Amino acid sequence: MTSDQPNEKADVVRTQIDLLREAVTRDKLKRTRRLLKAMHPAKIASLFETLTPEQRVIAWHQIDERAEPKVLAYLPARLRARLLRDLDAETRPSIDLPADAAPAEDAGPDDEPQTQLREVLDALAEHKLKRIARLFRKLHPARIAGLLESLPAAERATAWDMVDNDRTGKVLRHLQEEVRRRLAAEMDLDDLVDAARTLEPDDLVDLIQDLPASTGRQILQTLSQRERERLESMLSYPEDSAGGLMNMDQIAVRANIKIGTLLRYLRLFEDLPPNTDKIFVVDRKNIYQGILRVRRVLTALPEASVADLMETDFEPVPVDQPSGTVAHRFEEQDLVSAPVIDEHGVLLGRITIDDVVDVIREQAEHSMMGMAGLNEETDMFAPVWASSRRRAVWLGINLVTAFLAAWVIGRFEATLEQVVALAVLMPIVASMGGIAGSQTLTLVIRGLATGQLGSGNTRILLLKEAGIGLLNGLLWAVVVAALAILWFGNWAIGGIIGVAILLNLMCAALSGVAIPLLMRRLGIDPALAGGVVLTTVTDIVGFFAFLGLATLILI
């Protein structure tokens, strides 16, 4: 918190509903499964209300079987019946439906059932806000969060006012980060403080970081001294580091106690912290010693000691480790939680899988949206001015690069005037190079994001892509040259365009590897700017090779 001004990213919000709808629409099934696995069943039900019947069936097949009954329970009766009717007999879940389920016959093929999202939209249109309040009182907080994220920004703010004050904290916890920030900023301070008291420490830290500094300080001042010190410690770490991800609800014990004593200690808790699969072992100075898995505790003899069962080789996470590195380790080792230590080895807290899933999603969205010059949190319902302003920047950059390519073409004006066929064939050379380069660029950016590409294997990838560029260049050079000869009846033009395509595909392959690596070394995000630079390179090289060869041979 360094400023009282709202974050510029407030202009745009990309919700989990948007991401899931996009993944289903594009048939990204693996991505759909990953996102659905991280969502509450009530929120999944909200997504289903925004999909077409065909998309619902696709999404249903990606849901974990254990979550199916819960998702069905949150669906409105007629929508639930419609979904079950649309599913094949073999894939229809054989479970007991809730008592209010409508018979499948009630929803005909062209009779889309009334959904809770539709109810909210209708109530907003008719200004019957009490109807929304009554509906929200019946719904799970995650379900409400899903409905709010499915609404345009203006309607979202109106519907948010209909959430009861004693439930706002629980709804905030399930909202996507940017939506949570914007709605919290519109609340009265007293209501916001009351809602904050119901949040878990790590969720409260996220909320405070999203608010203006003055508002965050006021919330902190309402907490007890112990709670305030705990949160201030968590807020002192960068948001994109292990310290920014961790929470302090870990359970730590000494190595010299017996399992029976540990079990009696655990029974003092009303409930264990979420995602507790490990108990951390420390010494008298709280120095990290190792981990004790909960499953070992449950099966061990009461007289066994913690020291006999603990694992001392489990590597803790340094508090200053980048969040991307933490996410990669969780993904690689299938971790549920991991301890966080400072530079002296003191146990500070733990990181859990629910926070890491958010990091993985943000990284994937950053790469995908960055290639189009968009922010990964762009909201499809963002104001026209905000969206157009953000996109205009990249359109302007692209215009500059287009003029560079046009300047190259202008150098060969005399050649184009004499051989009109060159103007007809010229776009083919640039297009082939751009597509080939984009394929390589996407592969390299993904490798950098997942940690698969480093200094040790860069040369291997470069040689591989050069080989691919050579083979594809030879193949398509022959094909395009033959078509050009048949079209214009000129062997020289066919040979020129064939050689130009070969050269451009080779250049595209090498540029697709070199550009993101160079940008990363210069501290520039390759996902955000790599596509623009690559297009410029392939256009210029393609035009120069094609028109340059034509000038030498034909003129």
Side-chain angles (χ1 to χ4, degrees):
M1 300 183 298
T2 58
S3 171
D4 288 358
Q5 296 299 322
N7 192 315
E8 185 179 347
K9 291 192 294 185
D11 291 336
V12 289
V13 182
R14 189 169 179 81
T15 66
Q16 284 180 304
I17 299 299
D18 299 332
L19 302 178
L20 280 164
R21 187 187 300 113
E22 181 179 289
V24 172
T25 303
R26 297 187 178 185
D27 287 334
K28 302 290 186 181
L29 302 185
K30 185 178 292 185
R31 176 173 175 72
T32 303
R33 284 194 295 273
R34 186 167 64 248
L35 293 172
L36 287 170
K37 188 175 181 180
M39 290 184 68
H40 192 283
K43 211 165 187 181
I44 297 174
S46 297
L47 166 69
F48 274 44
E49 293 193 10
T50 69
L51 299 180
T52 65
E54 295 77 13
Q55 291 171 341
R56 277 189 214 118
V57 173
I58 294 173
W60 178 263
H61 286 284
Q62 314 313 316
I63 296 176
D64 189 289
E65 289 186 3
R66 292 169 294 183
E68 289 179 355
K70 297 178 182 178
V71 175
L72 285 176
Y74 285 112
L75 284 173
R78 296 197 69 211
L79 182 58
R80 178 168 57 235
R82 174 64 182 266
L83 173 63
L84 294 175
R85 185 188 63 77
D86 290 341
L87 291 172
D88 296 334
E90 295 181 0
T91 59
R92 189 177 296 126
S94 55
I95 56 177
D96 294 331
L97 295 179
D100 63 342
E105 295 80 9
D106 288 354
D110 300 318
D111 179 21
E112 186 64 14
Q114 175 80 348
T115 64
Q116 289 168 339
L117 176 60
R118 186 73 260 164
E119 289 182 47
V120 172
L121 290 171
D122 290 344
L124 287 169
E126 299 170 9
H127 302 289
K128 297 180 178 179
L129 302 184
K130 287 186 178 181
R131 185 191 302 172
I132 299 176
R134 287 195 298 270
L135 174 63
F136 281 176
R137 291 189 194 103
K138 303 175 185 177
L139 301 179
H140 188 281
R143 184 82 169 99
I144 299 173
L147 290 173
L148 290 171
E149 290 186 12
S150 301
L151 295 172
E155 287 82 353
R156 185 186 297 153
T158 303
W160 172 245
D161 291 337
M162 296 299 101
V163 179
D164 291 339
N165 290 338
D166 59 348
R167 306 188 74 198
T168 52
K170 296 178 181 179
V171 177
L172 282 171
R173 185 168 65 87
H174 289 284
L175 285 169
Q176 190 266 348
E177 177 182 346
E178 288 298 308
V179 178
R180 180 171 65 236
R181 183 193 62 76
R182 295 186 72 174
L183 293 181
E186 297 173 2
M187 296 175 64
D188 293 334
L189 180 60
D190 292 340
D191 293 337
L192 184 57
V193 169
D194 291 339
R197 291 180 180 278
T198 66
L199 296 175
E200 296 293 329
D202 55 332
D203 293 324
L204 182 53
V205 166
D206 291 339
L207 177 61
I208 291 175
Q209 288 175 331
D210 291 336
L211 296 172
S214 58
T215 306
R217 284 193 294 269
Q218 289 176 299
I219 292 178
L220 287 173
Q221 290 170 1
T222 65
L223 304 176
S224 66
Q225 181 177 352
R226 181 180 178 183
E227 292 174 327
R228 185 165 60 249
E229 291 175 352
R230 187 179 185 184
L231 286 175
E232 287 175 344
S233 174
M234 297 172 69
L235 286 165
S236 66
Y237 300 106
E239 191 174 357
D240 58 350
S241 68
L245 287 177
M246 76 173 180
N247 53 64
M248 297 182 176
D249 59 355
Q250 74 277 4
I251 298 177
V253 298
R254 306 269 177 82
N256 58 355
I257 68 171
K258 301 294 184 182
I259 294 299
T261 305
L262 173 58
L263 288 171
R264 288 194 294 274
Y265 170 66
L266 294 178
R267 293 189 188 102
L268 296 176
F269 290 87
E270 292 183 5
D271 191 13
L272 293 180
N275 298 308
T276 298
D277 67 323
K278 304 177 186 73
I279 295 171
F280 305 131
V281 184
V282 297
D283 63 10
R284 292 181 178 275
K285 296 182 179 180
N286 205 38
I287 302 296
Y288 171 78
Q289 304 292 307
I291 64 165
L292 175 61
R293 299 186 186 275
V294 171
R295 66 172 184 267
R296 296 293 305 275
V297 175
L298 298 177
T299 58
L301 296 174
E303 57 270 19
S305 70
V306 170
D308 296 333
L309 301 175
M310 64 183 283
E311 301 175 21
T312 58
D313 58 348
F314 188 89
E315 290 292 329
V317 177
V319 70
D320 57 353
Q321 189 170 85
S323 58
T325 305
V326 175
H328 180 65
R329 181 182 173 190
F330 267 70
E331 191 174 17
E332 192 176 57
Q333 300 180 11
D334 291 329
L335 299 180
V336 175
S337 66
V340 179
I341 61 169
D342 65 10
E343 65 273 16
H344 304 297
V346 175
L347 179 67
L348 299 176
R350 66 174 186 143
I351 296 174
T352 52
I353 185 63
D354 55 330
D355 296 313
V356 173
V357 167
D358 292 336
V359 174
I360 295 173
R361 176 184 60 80
E362 289 167 5
Q363 288 179 334
E365 282 306 304
H366 179 74
S367 297
M368 182 182 69
M369 299 297 290
M371 291 179 189
L374 300 174
N375 187 279
E376 65 270 24
E377 291 162 349
T378 300
D379 183 9
M380 66 172 62
F381 300 123
V384 173
W385 169 247
S387 297
S388 61
R389 183 182 60 190
R390 184 174 298 275
R391 299 185 193 187
V393 173
W394 289 98
L395 288 174
I397 294 173
N398 186 71
L399 180 62
V400 173
T401 63
F403 270 109
L404 287 175
W407 177 82
V408 172
I409 296 172
R411 298 300 88 194
F412 300 95
E413 184 177 352
T415 304
L416 288 169
E417 287 178 352
Q418 296 186 44
V419 186
V420 178
L422 297 178
V424 176
L425 296 173
M426 194 167 55
I428 298 175
V429 180
S431 176
M432 293 290 286
I435 293 297
S438 296
Q439 292 171 339
T440 304
L441 182 74
T442 302
L443 182 68
V444 173
I445 291 176
R446 180 182 179 278
L448 291 173
T450 59
Q452 293 177 309
L453 185 60
S455 58
N457 56 8
T458 300
R459 184 179 178 184
I460 298 174
L461 179 63
L462 187 64
L463 293 174
K464 173 204 165 188
E465 292 301 320
I468 294 173
L470 177 61
L471 290 176
N472 276 334
L474 290 171
L475 170 63
W476 294 107
V478 171
V479 172
V480 175
L483 293 174
I485 292 169
L486 291 174
W487 190 352
F488 296 102
N490 190 321
W491 286 82
I493 290 179
I496 290 169
I497 193 172
V499 173
I501 284 181
L502 173 60
L503 293 175
N504 204 20
L505 262 63
M506 286 288 295
C507 174
L510 297 176
S511 300
V513 176
I515 287 173
L517 293 175
L518 179 60
M519 285 186 164
R520 184 160 187 172
R521 181 168 295 183
L522 296 175
I524 303 172
D525 188 351
L528 200 59
V532 176
V533 176
L534 176 69
T535 301
T536 304
V537 170
T538 55
D539 282 355
I540 291 176
V541 170
F543 293 146
F544 188 83
F546 183 50
L547 298 177
L549 287 171
T551 301
L552 292 174
I553 296 173
L554 299 178
I555 304 302

